[in-house]
Amino acid sequence: GCGLTSLDFQVMQFPEFFTPNNDGYNDVWRVDGPTEQKFQILKIEIFNRYGKPLSSLFQDQLSWDGTYKGQALPSDDYWFLVEFRNGKSYTGHFTLKR
């Protein structure tokens, strides 16, 4: 007797780890989700544990290969800041495993 209510929503996923060892699995850190959701991303900044900016990702390239200036970075935890077109932001972290 209470009725039903439904709500559709889309989820954007930010991987918790990646393994850039060229084995064809998890070789890049890549944002996953519906295309219309990814279009809402203005920019993603990736930082090391000390806050040093390592990479800026934009609409046309929302993935990172674990390098800085062409050099492979070590296994460690890294942080990211996502800036959305509506002015909101999201922060998180992930692990690079070699």
Side-chain angles (χ1 to χ4, degrees), residues 8-62:
D8 291 331
F9 62 93
Q10 300 172 340
V11 176
M12 197 174 319
Q13 297 175 344
F14 301 96
E16 295 179 5
F17 71 94
F18 76 113
T19 57
N21 57 7
N22 295 318
D23 67 353
Y25 300 99
N26 298 316
D27 286 332
V28 294
W29 184 83
R30 181 186 334 266
V31 176
D32 192 23
T35 302
E36 57 271 13
Q37 287 292 83
K38 290 191 280 187
F39 279 130
Q40 299 306 312
I41 295 173
L42 187 60
K43 177 172 66 168
I44 299 175
E45 294 281 341
I46 297 177
F47 306 90
N48 69 7
R49 67 174 47 228
Y50 305 106
K52 178 181 179 178
L54 302 174
S55 186
S56 295
L57 310 178
F58 297 95
Q59 181 76 179
D60 57 337
Q61 182 65 25
L62 294 177

Side-chain angles (χ1 to χ4, degrees), residues 59-91:
Q59 181 76 179
D60 57 337
Q61 182 65 25
L62 294 177
S63 63
W64 182 55
D65 63 359
T67 63
Y68 177 69
K69 294 186 177 181
Q71 298 296 315
L73 292 170
S75 293
D76 206 345
D77 289 333
Y78 294 87
W79 280 256
F80 64 93
L81 168 66
V82 182
E83 296 177 15
F84 293 97
R85 295 187 183 281
N86 64 5
K88 293 184 179 184
S89 63
Y90 174 77
T91 59

